Every structure is written in C-alpha cells, then in structure tokens.
C-alpha cells in the first residue's frame, strides 16, 4: 500500500438515472461536435433522445468504430476532426468506442498520427479538445481513465496510449443507457469491473482512497451483477452495477491492475475474446496464484461483501461466472501452445508489473497450459 498519492479525475462526473439529459448544459457554448457512438446505440430509441438533447449544436456523427478500437478508426476520427474544425468530442458507447474517441479528442489539435503516439514516437504536450464520455456498458471505466486502449489490426498488438491529458472533461454515467446491454455484454463488462476493483485493491500501488472505492465496488458487483444479468430491465440492479463500475474505475485508474489484465490483453486481441470475458476467465486463476501474498486483503473484500473468508470470495466469483455462462478456460477460443510465444511477448505491461506476486515466464506458461483446457492437455 502506498501512503503518498495523487488523484486525477474528469473535471466533472455526473451519475444518475436519466443524467444524459444534462449533457447539453455541460458542453461549451457554440461547440461543433464530433459525436462518436456505438453501432447499436445509433439505431436505438435513445439516439432520438440524444438528437433532441443536442439539437442546438452543429455535429457530425460517426457510429462504426470497430471492436477493440482499431488505430485506423482513430486516424479516421482525427482526419474528420481536423478537416471539419471540430471543437468538442462526445462519445457514447462501450469501452472501445469511448477509447477511440478519447484518443482522437487528444490528438486532433496536436501534430501527427495516432500510430505515432501508439508506438511512443510522439508525446502529447497540450490539452486536447473538450471530451465528454457517456458509457453504455458498466465495466470498462473508459469514462474515467487516463489511457486509451487501442489495437493495431495488422499485428494484433493491443496497448494503451497513456497520459493524464487524455482524461475526459466530463463523464456522465447514466444507468438507463445500460438497460439495452445484452446478457453477454452485461456479464463481460460487469466481470471486467469486478476484476479491476479486486486487482486495484490488491496491487502494490493501492492507497486508502483507491481501497475504499474498490471495497465498495466489489460489494456492489458481487451483490447485484447476476441480478442485472438475469433481468436487464431491473433498473435498481442496473443502477447499483453502474455505481460499482464507476467506483471500480475511480479506484484502478489511480492505482493499478494485475496479471488478469496483463494476460487478458494479448489473449483477447489474439483470439478475439471480449476483454471482460478474458478477465473473468483469468480472475480466479490469478487469485489462486496471488493467494499466498494477498489472503488478508481478499479476506477484507470477502467480509465487506458478507462472505466468510477469502476462499468463499473466490468460490463466489466462480459461481457468478457459472450463473452468467462464462467458461473456466480458453478452450472454446482455441488457445493452444502455438499462441504462447505471442502472449508471453505481449503480456509484460504495467498491469503485469503491478501484480502483487511476481509472475515468472515459467509461471505464465504453466497457467497458459492450464487455460488451454482438457483437450489441449491430453
Ligand atoms: Fe479491464
């Protein structure tokens, strides 16, 4: 645990059912908006509500950001932004849509292409365009974080552009926007939030603020995620899960993550596993690995969530996964030893370094063999 810390959040965070209605009054006057939404949101009835809310602003709408936020999609947004002299970027969608828009908002007024920042050849120096983020999923935390996770399609390399200049100016978390999430996305994004909260709590850079946020997040998600999965229209459960997700993001964005996230990125991009699902598959395995160094911390999380001890917490996570149809390994995604070299090479991110127990290459390979499932092991 760290006793010195700095916390950086969006300039304004608005939470509540129906809070999307507050978007217009919180945007700069005379904004020329680049509106980046998810595909399904663009076709939903909520899009009509948004059109109404933004009726007095000039805007260009883009609604086709690819899965895992491809760098070329960000280049396209930057191009539009520069040519059309956009002054504000508003993004409504899942983590990939928000991250692509976030990177574009920062780079539009800067120089160069997104790929230069992705490969660390350029660095941001000045604040980008005003950026507002409204998540339609409850899990990624992209509305809060200072990084944009992008994917280079050709190499399948998935990594972050990270800079406090990327932090949104305005985050509006409206649980009503999450009601139309499919069961699969509810499970995947919710388990992403839970993994983030737990990894934030046990990582070496946790502090009293991030731990308080993470504890509450874990409790909210453990108690309400399966209800939101079983009945997507249950607005009470949706609201509590959205709160859990927001607290998770406010926690991990100021501390760090762990090996579940370190491994979820290369496995997810290589085998096209949704990020949250990859996290959910990895989480119990990583907690088993970390157990000897963080049993006490897991015990605290268990007590807070009304569970008997750390083992019960891990057991509860496994039960939640089962209830939401999330597999225990990557066999159905075809993980096999031919993938190990790529995963090993691309998993050594900051998340891997902040894992509370050091994972050697041997440890990683041993876990990957287990994650191939019975078929590949026989
Ligand atoms: Fe995540």
């Amino acid at each position: 645990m760290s006793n010195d810390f700095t916390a950086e959040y969006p300039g304004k965070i608005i939470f509540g059912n129906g809070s999307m209605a507050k978007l217009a009054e919180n945007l700069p006057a005379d904004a020329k908006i680049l509106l980046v939404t998810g595909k399904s949101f663009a076709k939903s009835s909520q899009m009509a509500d948004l059109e109404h809310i933004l009726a007095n602003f000039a805007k260009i709408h883009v609604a086709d950001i690819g899965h895992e936020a491809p760098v070329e999609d960000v280049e396209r947004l930057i191009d539009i932004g520069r040519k059309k002299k956009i002054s504000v970027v508003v993004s409504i969608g899942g983590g990939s849509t928000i991250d692509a828009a976030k990177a574009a908002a920062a780079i539009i007024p800067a120089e160069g292409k997104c790929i230069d920042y992705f490969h660390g050849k350029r660095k941001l120096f000045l604040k980008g365009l005003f950026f507002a983020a409204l998540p339609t999923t409850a899990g990624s935390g992209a509305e809060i974080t200072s990084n944009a996770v992008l994917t280079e399609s050709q190499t399948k390399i998935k990594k972050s552009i990270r800079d406090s200049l990327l932090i949104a100016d305005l985050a509006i978390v409206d649980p009503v926007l999450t009601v139309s999430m499919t069961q699969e996305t509810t499970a995947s994004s919710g388990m992403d939030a839970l993994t983030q909260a737990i990894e934030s709590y046990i990582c070496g850079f946790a502090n009293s603020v991030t731990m308080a946020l993470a504890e509450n997040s874990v409790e909210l998600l453990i108690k309400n995620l399966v209800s939101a999965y079983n009945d997507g229209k249950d607005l009470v459960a949706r609201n509590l899960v959205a709160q859990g997700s927001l607290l998770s993001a406010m926690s991990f964005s100021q501390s760090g993550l762990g090996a579940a996230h370190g491994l979820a990125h290369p496995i997810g991009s290589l085998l096209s596993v949704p990020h949250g699902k990859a996290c959910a598959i990895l989480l119990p395995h990583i907690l088993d690995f970390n157990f000897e160094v963080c049993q006490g911390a897991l015990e605290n999380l268990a007590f807070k969530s009304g569970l008997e001890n750390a083992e019960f917490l891990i057991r509860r996570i496994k039960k939640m996964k089962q209830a939401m149809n999330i597999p225990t390994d990557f066999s159905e995604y075809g993980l096999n030893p031919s993938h190990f070299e790529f995963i090993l090479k691309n998993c050594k991110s900051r998340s891997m370094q902040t894992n509370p127990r050091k994972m050697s290459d041997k440890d990683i390979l041993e876990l990957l063999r287990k994650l191939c499932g019975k078929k590949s092991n026989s």
Side-chain angles (χ1 to χ4, degrees), residues 70-352:
V71 171
E72 55 269 28
D73 284 359
V74 182
E75 307 287 17
R76 191 158 47 89
L77 295 177
I78 293 170
D79 213 37
I80 297 170
R82 287 177 180 163
K83 278 187 186 143
K84 304 285 181 187
K85 303 212 177 330
I86 291 295
S87 62
V88 164
V89 178
V90 174
S91 181
I92 305 189
S96 300
T97 300
I98 291 179
D99 274 353
K102 187 194 289 181
I107 300 172
I108 287 168
E111 290 189 343
K113 293 184 144 211
C114 177
I115 195 75
D116 303 331
Y117 295 87
F118 184 78
H119 286 304
K121 290 179 187 158
R122 279 183 188 271
K123 206 179 148 19
L124 293 164
F125 288 106
L126 296 169
K127 167 85 186 74
L129 299 183
F130 185 100
F131 176 56
L134 294 85
T136 56
T137 60
S140 79
E143 71 281 11
I144 298 294
T145 57
S146 63
N147 64 313
V149 188
L150 308 176
T151 306
E152 188 179 42
S153 303
Q154 272 180 334
T155 59
K156 291 190 182 276
I157 289 174
K158 182 175 178 178
K159 62 178 180 176
S160 283
I161 301 177
R162 191 179 293 276
D163 199 303
S164 55
L165 291 169
L166 286 168
I167 297 174
D169 297 280
L170 172 66
I172 297 183
V173 180
D174 181 350
V176 176
L177 296 178
T178 68
V179 167
S180 50
M181 257 195 296
T182 62
Q183 275 198 315
E184 196 180 357
T185 309
T186 302
S188 158
S189 56
M191 287 305 291
D192 186 16
L194 181 61
T195 307
Q196 285 159 183
I198 295 175
E199 293 206 298
S200 170
Y201 192 79
I202 62 178
C203 84
F205 291 90
N207 60 58
S208 53
V209 172
T210 63
M211 290 172 86
L213 292 162
E215 263 181 17
N216 283 294
S217 168
V218 171
E219 183 189 4
L220 284 164
L221 294 165
I222 291 266
K223 291 184 175 169
N224 299 290
L225 180 57
V226 176
S227 304
Y229 173 88
N230 286 333
D231 178 7
K233 301 263 179 288
D234 178 349
L235 202 49
V236 173
R238 287 292 198 194
N239 185 296
L240 295 169
V241 169
Q243 283 186 51
S245 164
L246 177 62
L247 298 184
S248 167
M250 290 178 74
S251 177
F252 87 84
S253 63
Q254 313 301 318
S255 53
L257 292 165
H261 272 80
L263 288 164
H265 282 172
I267 294 175
S269 61
L270 188 64
L271 303 176
S272 300
V273 189
H275 170 70
K277 211 168 189 180
C279 288
I281 292 171
L282 284 155
L283 182 61
H285 297 279
I286 297 299
L287 292 182
D288 283 342
F289 176 80
N290 287 336
F291 199 81
E292 64 183 55
V293 298
C294 61
Q295 184 179 357
L298 294 176
E299 211 119 82
N300 292 342
L301 291 177
F303 296 155
K304 175 81 182 157
S305 305
L307 301 166
E308 214 165 299
N309 58 36
E311 280 101 347
F312 274 72
L313 178 71
I314 299 175
R315 216 177 291 167
R316 172 61 71 90
I317 292 166
K318 288 180 182 167
K319 273 191 184 159
M320 288 171 70
K321 284 175 55 180
Q322 212 173 10
M324 296 188 292
N325 256 319
I326 297 175
T328 54
D329 59 42
F330 292 101
S331 51
E332 70 182 67
Y333 290 96
L335 179 68
N336 68 63
S338 73
H339 301 126
F340 292 179
E341 194 186 335
F342 176 91
I343 295 166
L344 206 54
K345 196 173 155 213
N346 292 291
C347 73
K348 315 253 165 85
S349 59
R350 182 173 183 266
S351 297
M352 213 59 179

